[in-house]
Amino acid sequence: MRVRSTSLIAGLAVAAVLPVAAPAAADSKKDSPGNDPCATGQATGNPCRGNNGNDKGVDQRGGAGKYALVSQSGDRNMADVQQTGGGSAYAKVVQAGDANEAVVGQTGSAHATLVLLQGGDRNVANAEQNGSGEENGAVLSQQGQGNELSLLQDGSDNDAVLTQTGEGNRMTLTQNGAENRAMWTQPGSNLPDLNVIQNGGQGIVITQSNGR
């Protein structure tokens, strides 16, 4: 197993941390509530109608400026999006495969942006954005089988890009406070959870793999 971790200067610009190749296609803050994902090719209103999928639920309370798009293809997938805070929120969840699970919670008074992509089978992702002040943003991707990912952003102006490819990998990131930046990539199989915690003004890049 190889673990490579490089600390970044606190307060690193978002643009330096968040570029992500396809399928994420954008950093976590490119899509804003002003660009309603339901307005293009979908009937208006939330949750969007006309999505493919199996079991999905969207709960939106606490004010205007909340948008959610859920797209699922395959069998026995489950997606649950809760947007219940006073701030604006944007969530996009795309799942392709079988028996994948995605749970997203966006609460608090700050704007929250999240893109979650899962491809394969039996992947599980849980993400909660609970903040005040400036926007929290995340791009999450799991491709493969039996991967598990957990993200908690509790604060202001936090950004995370988390990517897992392979089988049986585990990833947990907690961002407390303000101005945390994280880019974490895990290509491989059965990689253990490093359980990373950031407590404000911290930046990190992690690559963990089975290679030498």
Side-chain angles (χ1 to χ4, degrees), residues 14-63:
V14 175
V17 178
L18 290 178
V20 178
D27 68 43
S28 66
K29 294 183 178 180
K30 287 279 182 77
D31 293 311
S32 68
N35 301 319
D36 183 352
C38 302
T40 303
Q42 301 283 354
T44 58
N46 284 305
C48 301
R49 292 174 291 175
N51 291 321
N52 299 318
N54 305 307
D55 182 12
K56 66 177 182 289
V58 177
D59 181 14
Q60 295 172 313
R61 290 177 282 121

Side-chain angles (χ1 to χ4, degrees), residues 185-197:
T185 304
Q186 296 198 153
S189 299
N190 301 312
L191 296 169
D193 195 343
L194 300 179
N195 194 16
V196 175
I197 300 175

Side-chain angles (χ1 to χ4, degrees), residues 53-55 71-79 94-102 118-125 142-147:
N54 305 307
D55 182 12
S71 176
Q72 301 187 116
S73 60
D75 298 322
R76 305 182 310 280
N77 296 299
M78 186 280 289
V94 178
Q95 299 192 120
D98 297 331
N100 296 297
E101 296 183 12
Q118 296 199 120
D121 302 326
R122 303 184 310 279
N123 297 300
V124 178
Q142 297 194 121
Q143 306 294 323
Q145 296 184 347
N147 298 298

